[in-house]
Amino acid sequence: MALSLGFIVERLGGALHGDAALQVRAIAPLERARADEISFLAHPKYAAQLAHTHAGCVIVGPEQAVAARARGACIVTERPYVYFARLTQLWKAEHRGPALRGIHPTAIVDPDAEIGDDVSIGPFCVVERGARIGAGTVLRAHVTVGEDCVLGRRCLLHAGVVIGADGFGFALDEDRHWIKIEQLGAVQIGDDVEIGANSCVDRGALSDTVIEDGVKLDNLVQIGHNVHIGAHSALAGCAGVAGSAKIGAHCTIGGGAVVLGHLTLADGVHISAASVVMRSILKPGQYSGIFPIDENASWERNAATLKQLHGLRERIKALERGLTAS
Amino acid sequence: MALSLGFIVERLGGALHGDAALQVRAIAPLERARADEISFLAHPKYAAQLAHTHAGCVIVGPEQAVAARARGACIVTERPYVYFARLTQLWKAEHRGPALRGIHPTAIVDPDAEIGDDVSIGPFCVVERGARIGAGTVLRAHVTVGEDCVLGRRCLLHAGVVIGADGFGFALDEDRHWIKIEQLGAVQIGDDVEIGANSCVDRGALSDTVIEDGVKLDNLVQIGHNVHIGAHSALAGCAGVAGSAKIGAHCTIGGGAVVLGHLTLADGVHISAASVVMRSILKPGQYSGIFPIDENASWERNAATLKQLHGLRERIKALERGLTAS
Amino acid sequence: MALSLGFIVERLGGALHGDAALQVRAIAPLERARADEISFLAHPKYAAQLAHTHAGCVIVGPEQAVAARARGACIVTERPYVYFARLTQLWKAEHRGPALRGIHPTAIVDPDAEIGDDVSIGPFCVVERGARIGAGTVLRAHVTVGEDCVLGRRCLLHAGVVIGADGFGFALDEDRHWIKIEQLGAVQIGDDVEIGANSCVDRGALSDTVIEDGVKLDNLVQIGHNVHIGAHSALAGCAGVAGSAKIGAHCTIGGGAVVLGHLTLADGVHISAASVVMRSILKPGQYSGIFPIDENASWERNAATLKQLHGLRERIKALERGLTAS
């Protein structure tokens, strides 16, 4: 269960400096790697760790090549972290063997669903009528794809994902009872989308919920009806996006963050974990809104004062007027 | 796949002004509706859009009837948004055909469970002994209803819902190990309750967790043991309610909001998204507690200052004393 | 369906004062307990309730023994709340009968998985190749245990739990597309761990995600890749822990709280509900960071002012300088 450095560069490219016959038995971070393991320098800021690592080989960028060669074998490549990612893919393919393909005998796939080539549908999946699943897409166990929902090619849906549950739509009647608005839209998911375990993407009310190519959703993420997520955006675990929000391309939404409904986020907007987006954000950049954690007693004092903050501002104004007057 | 205006008013009521034979092929929002689509004016504040819509017919309230008739066909009704909701229901019934009823052959229903008339139990559902499911209730795929849990009539549980997992109860022993408190209660759910995908309602510790008639829970909602939710309240996605909290009737809890344990919320309390309820709220109204999102650099400065807020208040007091003294 | 006090103390110990033949039909809290029910005084601060309870028997600590005996039957024990927990266990065993053991015929257990003695695997579970499940562990319905993941002894995994989905790891390539980092690690879970419904524990990227003995996770909890949770810690519902965070032993994390990635929490750190841990916490204690909820209008004013807080601090400084100068 080892790969030679020669095999690695033959498959993934990069310039090898060192013994092509050297076998590595695992991939490991610099600080823990041993002589029979390969490591990587993900970012130049960790360059100081190069001198101390025991790794048998290190994947580095051109600017670290001299230092890396001074200490032992290395593979030089423009983007070491991407190279590392591709190495994990090679590693998995070589060590775990090819993933099983095909439709598990326990899966329930409606005869009116369209299933592309080389699709894998895991145990206890349910694919309803009118659903379409693109070539190479993988559904792990217990995934549900509702009526008329569409998945692109090479998607990966982890266990427990629910695509196409009803959006949350009700009208209040004269007795203040909720009257269900049937959700007549579906879900459209592009190519190369990954969706984490137990996450949900609701069907649209009148038109469809849309997730564009290359989007990555972590576990326990909630996507409301008629949300639109632009290509190559990523949402971390427990994030929630309310109905009809429009998130641009190349955005990142941190874990536990909430995006309220009907908002627009421009391309390249980055929301910190646990922040709440209450207004549209039309300028790329990093945005945050998190109450700073503190020892409980300090927090209590500050939180109590926060409930008087507007009043404090008025008192500061008054002081400023007083000082001017005095 | 179209409905005539005449058929719609025959089924749903309302006063039609225009050609009863006109066929509409979809329901669409005002700004996107085309000549062969029907739209609605959900709120008078959107009345200005009436002049510009291309919809073949618009559902409006009496106060917009004149303006609506001036532009073309319309259906006049007291509550246009409720009419729209009922129209989506009619649309679904006419276009998708009757939903399948009955117990899917893969579902596991304990012989000691009681199943009402016209119940639908989807693929891979598990209904344990002593559970009771009221007439007309629908369980989608992968739903679990635990021992002795009771669902009322006409409920809808989306895929992955778990009713009656154990509440989170433990006692710390002398070694600071957690000793499980077996959860001896169950869950009681009223009529017309809808529960979104992958949401959980835990069984009570000694008595039952209760969800009253007409409550709507969105996806990924967590309801702790012995919570009581009053009739016709609605909780949006990712909301969490901790053990023994009592939420009144006609409340709304925004997405991602958290209600701590053992609190009481009066009827008609509305909690904004992502807010945390730390004390009982006995007066109806809208309540919020959200850190305002900002550009990251601004947030960092303000958050750092927030940790000194109580001290700032003391300094303002001192300034006020100083100004008075000077 | 009742137990005698004599039977209870025979099985659980404690000093009974009162009639050993007295039958109790349920366990109930002090304020609701009736004459044929047994109750408990979980904490001395509730001692005043003793005088008013109608319970047939009360479980109390030594310091309440005199007061408890004055009102009727009691069981005196060092830790009444732990005694209560054990009584719930006895109650369940006596009333519900032994839980079914064994592998449900619908469960899919890979022939290369190792299953310990007396394991229970519920309907529609999936246990993949290389997984190991320790003796006495219980998986409820719809649980997924991924390749090579290890569960200790006497664990309890509620419905919909997903162990070993891929961690959320991607590298950005030159086109700003996400390249998947295959997650080559697995998950190691110790003994006596309980995991709530629909919770997820991701597999590690290179090494394993680790959950030590006695940890309790509530429902809808997300544990990222390479997280390490120390023994006997407890995380309440909807909590999320991002990748590579290290949480000590005997910690508690409140519902909806978020721990960011790569942080360290010392043993005995307690995080309040809905708080966000953004920096390592190396000192035991209670920590909070919650925006105080308020009537919406007040919140709006205070939140708006909060966005100017750093500026207000500068104005206070200026005032202080002015006052000194004046």
Side-chain angles (χ1 to χ4, degrees), chain C residues 250-282:
Chain C
H250 300 291
C251 291
T252 59
I253 309 285
V258 172
V259 180
L260 300 195
H262 296 274
L263 303 183
T264 298
L265 273 61
D267 295 351
V269 166
H270 304 283
I271 304 297
S272 298
S275 300
V276 183
V277 184
M278 289 179 291
R279 292 193 179 77
S280 291
I281 298 180
L282 304 177

Side-chain angles (χ1 to χ4, degrees), chain C residues 45-57:
Chain C
K45 71 180 169 187
Y46 302 123
Q49 294 183 25
L50 258 188
H52 307 294
T53 184
H54 300 110
C57 177

Side-chain angles (χ1 to χ4, degrees), chain A residues 58-279:
Chain A
V58 180
I59 304 162
V60 297
E63 60 277 28
Q64 271 75 44
V66 172
R69 292 177 67 174
R71 64 154 291 285
C74 64
I75 295 171
V76 181
T77 177
E78 283 299 322
R79 297 182 166 266
Y81 197 54
V82 171
Y83 195 99
F84 156 66
R86 298 206 189 281
L87 178 58
T88 62
Q89 296 176 5
L90 177 64
W91 207 270
K92 184 172 180 190
E94 294 295 316
H95 288 85
R96 292 212 179 145
L100 295 173
R101 292 282 157 169
I103 299 178
H104 193 277
T106 61
I108 297 175
V109 179
D110 192 277
D112 290 337
E114 265 181 52
I115 309 298
D117 293 338
D118 204 31
V119 161
S120 170
I121 300 184
F124 309 123
C125 285
V126 175
V127 180
E128 297 183 352
R129 62 180 165 183
R132 284 185 283 145
I133 300 187
T137 282
V138 173
L139 312 189
R140 302 252 195 246
H142 300 122
V143 171
T144 304
V145 180
E147 248 180 85
D148 298 328
C149 294
V150 178
L151 301 178
R153 294 167 293 177
R154 299 174 304 275
C155 292
L156 171 56
L157 274 58
H158 288 279
V161 166
V162 179
I163 304 297
D166 284 347
F168 198 61
F170 302 91
L172 267 184
D173 75 5
E174 59 277 24
D175 300 320
R176 295 193 296 153
H177 295 185
W178 298 105
I179 307 301
K180 184 172 177 71
I181 298 168
E182 289 291 350
Q183 304 291 299
L184 305 174
V187 177
Q188 292 178 38
I189 293 177
D191 296 336
D192 302 300
V193 170
E194 182 165 340
I195 304 183
N198 286 345
S199 287
C200 304
V201 182
D202 279 349
R203 65 176 61 245
L206 298 174
S207 54
D208 294 346
T209 302
V210 177
I211 297 188
E212 293 192 3
D213 293 348
V215 167
K216 310 296 177 185
L217 306 183
D218 197 353
N219 299 348
L220 291 166
V221 168
Q222 155 64 1
I223 306 296
H225 54 180
N226 299 104
V227 166
H228 186 121
I229 302 185
H232 311 295
S233 285
L235 283 72
C238 307
V241 183
S244 300
K246 189 169 180 351
I247 296 178
H250 300 291
C251 291
T252 59
I253 309 286
V258 172
V259 180
L260 300 196
H262 297 274
L263 303 182
T264 298
L265 272 63
D267 295 351
V269 166
H270 303 284
I271 304 297
S272 298
S275 299
V276 183
V277 184
M278 288 178 291
R279 292 193 179 75

Side-chain angles (χ1 to χ4, degrees), chain B residues 272-294:
Chain B
S272 298
S275 300
V276 183
V277 184
M278 288 179 290
R279 291 193 180 77
S280 291
I281 298 180
L282 304 177
K283 201 177 94 181
Q286 182 83 36
Y287 295 82
S288 305
I290 310 167
F291 199 107
I293 197 166
D294 207 347

Side-chain angles (χ1 to χ4, degrees), chain B residues 232-255:
Chain B
H232 311 295
S233 285
L235 283 73
C238 307
V241 183
S244 300
K246 188 167 180 354
I247 296 177
H250 300 291
C251 291
T252 59
I253 309 286

